[in-house]
Amino acid sequence: MSKIKIPEKLVAEPCAMESGNPRHFAPSDDQPPQNKYQIVDPKTGAVWGYVVVDSTRRGPGLGGIRIAADLSVWEIMRLARTMTLKNSAANLPFGGAKSGIAFDPNNFGRGQGMKQDLIGAFAEAIFPIDSYIAAPDMSTDENDTQRIFQYNTEMLGDPYHGRGAAGRPFAKGGVPIDKWGLTGHSLYSAIKTLEGIDPNFQIKGARVVIQGFGNVGSAIGNKLTEEGALIVGASDVSTALWNAKGLQVRELNQARGNPKGLAAYRGQVDKRFSNGNVSRLLEAPCDILIPAARPDAITARNADRLMCGRIFQGANTPSNKMTEYYLENRRKILSYTDFIVNCGGVIGCAVEVKMTQDEAYRERVLGMGNHGRPYVENLIFETVSRNILTITKRLKERASKDIIFREEATRLAEERLGKPEEYWL
């Protein structure tokens, strides 16, 4: 087995907007991002990742670092735009940004300290980008953001800086996004709010399929199970499981921690998919479908085969506007938009950044007990619930306009984008 060498140094270089897209189309209907960088090994010129700062109209761009072998700059651009809408809709004093490292996370097991070395080099590369605050995302965690925060602290000589990163361990002064399951909590907040306003929708007895049983998927799965829902389907990158009578959530959580992932699940299953067939789980019959993995899980290719009642988007950009329009108008399947229902992580990060700089605010958060978790969870629930109710009311008022949930959600986010002085922290 050949040894994978992590670069000793990485640097951020601005890159042209049109590079990498042969058709020269923008990633969305809106203006292009504010800044775009590629992360380069200066010795070889090899590109190791990207940083996209979409907008700083409400403040520094806040967004996670994801690590994936097949990462592209266009994926990061789309996600950065989603972060702008997410932070704006949640009325946070932050803009939108995203970054990614083009590396197969499965290779981290091939060498001791490999991930630490890569994150360390990445921290050095992104330090000059003072408009970006990093956070955890796919294949990164609170230890990685702590490493970046510590590097920034050493460079600035100030432990109370606002440069980030966020989503760090509580013991280090952070808000642990994954450990507290905050993104899953925002999904739960959306589902619980809709249960309260729709007499035809209830959690107890609902059949749930979770595509991507990771930090987000497991958190929402646990919460819905406690409310009496049945997790009938779950998947990770290599295995999908289906049982019409319900999977054992405790077993799913144990398997998730196994090196084999859900392939190690020991409970009864009616169907098991692997390798290239994992995505077929999206087509399983259910009341609630939660895509919580990579972008574009739901497209024109499988939209006609979905058998769900409602979709709650745990992942960012799991489908596009045209697909959601088709699902709602032709299939009567309503899809609740990513930047409205999965905003728990960024809200937790926003609380952390403010606590780092504002001692009075920190005391107020921690004063609610349990390390401030009740404050953060209450803020998430109130934010998501308020947005769901506002968008639902607007859709009813504009019922004759043929507008889907994503369009009204985008309109709400863009309204707040123009009012950076207003925020809910």
Side-chain angles (χ1 to χ4, degrees):
M1 181 182 295
S2 60
K3 181 175 176 60
I4 297 173
K5 186 173 177 59
I6 301 299
E8 295 178 1
K9 184 180 181 64
L10 293 171
V11 297
E13 298 179 349
C15 50
M17 281 305 307
E18 62 271 18
S19 65
N21 186 345
R23 297 190 178 186
H24 304 284
F25 290 158
S28 71
D29 297 332
D30 304 283
Q31 61 184 6
Q34 189 171 305
N35 297 107
K36 180 159 69 77
Y37 306 86
Q38 57 186 10
I39 307 300
V40 178
D41 179 349
K43 285 188 176 181
T44 66
V47 176
W48 278 74
Y50 308 96
V51 177
V52 176
V53 179
D54 182 75
S55 171
T56 58
R57 290 177 65 186
R58 289 189 64 89
L62 170 64
I65 307 167
R66 67 174 43 192
I67 303 176
D70 58 346
L71 199 72
S72 73
V73 66
W74 295 98
E75 177 178 346
I76 300 303
M77 288 173 70
R78 289 177 62 198
L79 293 170
R81 176 59 184 168
T82 298
M83 296 307 300
T84 294
L85 298 174
K86 185 180 296 187
N87 288 315
S88 180
N91 246 1
L92 299 174
F94 295 100
K98 202 76 174 183
S99 67
I101 301 174
F103 187 81
D104 186 349
N106 292 317
N107 288 326
F108 287 138
R110 296 173 60 179
Q112 186 175 2
M114 186 180 293
K115 188 179 187 185
Q116 292 90 329
D117 291 344
L118 182 56
I119 295 297
F122 191 76
E124 182 180 2
I126 66 174
F127 177 75
I129 310 174
D130 58 6
S131 57
Y132 174 51
I133 297 177
D137 193 63
M138 193 172 70
S139 297
T140 55
D141 57 28
E142 59 185 31
N143 296 316
D144 302 321
T145 52
Q146 176 60 35
R147 186 175 182 85
I148 296 170
F149 181 91
Q150 186 60 36
Y151 179 85
N152 291 345
T153 296
E154 293 169 0
M155 292 296 293
L156 296 167
D158 180 6
Y160 305 107
H161 59 82
R163 289 285 305 277
R168 301 179 295 116
F170 173 78
K172 301 291 187 179
V175 173
I177 307 304
D178 293 335
K179 186 169 292 185
W180 287 0
L182 297 184
T183 304
H185 184 68
S186 58
L187 288 166
Y188 170 78
S189 302
I191 294 169
K192 193 68 177 175
T193 298
L194 286 162
E195 182 183 48
I197 62 176
D198 187 346
N200 298 315
F201 177 70
Q202 63 177 15
I203 298 174
K204 186 175 182 179
R207 300 165 301 160
V208 181
V209 167
I210 302 173
Q211 182 239 6
F213 200 80
N215 291 325
V216 175
S218 61
I220 184 60
N222 292 336
K223 286 179 177 290
L224 293 180
T225 299
E226 291 173 1
E227 295 262 344
L230 290 176
I231 310 303
V232 295
S235 70
D236 59 15
V237 68
S238 61
T239 303
L241 309 169
W242 161 260
N243 186 348
K245 295 181 179 179
L247 299 166
Q248 298 174 31
V249 175
R250 180 178 297 180
E251 287 286 342
L252 286 173
N253 286 317
Q254 289 179 351
R256 176 176 165 255
N258 189 293
K260 295 180 180 179
L262 295 192
Y265 178 78
R266 297 180 180 180
Q268 181 179 349
V269 297
D270 295 334
K271 293 183 182 295
R272 184 186 293 262
F273 305 104
S274 59
N275 300 324
N277 294 320
V278 170
S279 63
R280 290 176 60 184
L281 183 69
L282 292 163
E283 303 165 17
C286 60
D287 302 299
I288 297 173
L289 174 62
I290 301 175
R294 293 290 293 276
D296 299 318
I298 300 170
T299 67
R301 294 182 179 181
N302 60 5
D304 269 331
R305 297 195 296 271
L306 299 188
M307 292 190 289
C308 58
R310 301 176 191 232
I311 300 170
F312 292 87
Q313 299 180 1
N316 289 329
T317 65
S319 57
N320 59 37
K321 184 170 71 174
M322 292 303 295
T323 301
E324 291 168 23
Y325 182 90
Y326 176 82
L327 287 171
E328 182 171 340
N329 286 278
R330 295 294 297 274
R331 301 292 320 283
K332 306 305 178 186
I333 298 172
L334 186 58
S335 191
Y336 294 95
T337 310
D338 47 6
F339 60 83
I340 296 296
V341 303
N342 71 20
C343 62
V346 295
I347 292 175
C349 288
V351 170
E352 177 183 326
V353 174
K354 185 171 176 60
M355 282 199 301
T356 301
Q357 299 179 292
D358 186 338
E359 183 60 30
Y361 179 73
R362 182 176 184 83
E363 291 178 0
R364 178 155 64 94
V365 173
L366 298 181
M368 292 189 66
N370 195 18
H371 308 308
R373 185 171 180 174
Y375 174 93
V376 178
E377 290 187 339
N378 288 345
L379 179 60
I380 291 170
F381 194 98
E382 290 171 3
T383 299
V384 174
S385 182
R386 189 184 307 186
N387 284 341
I388 289 283
L389 293 173
T390 297
I391 294 168
T392 301
K393 180 176 181 291
R394 289 186 177 190
L395 287 171
K396 288 181 179 178
E397 293 172 349
R398 297 158 60 87
S400 62
K401 301 295 185 180
D402 195 20
I403 296 172
I404 64 170
F405 192 94
R406 177 174 290 278
E407 290 174 302
E408 197 59 57
T410 301
R411 183 176 289 108
L412 177 65
E414 289 177 342
E415 288 173 6
R416 292 176 180 163
L417 192 59
K419 300 177 181 179
E421 70 281 359
E422 297 180 6
Y423 56 89
W424 289 340
L425 289 181

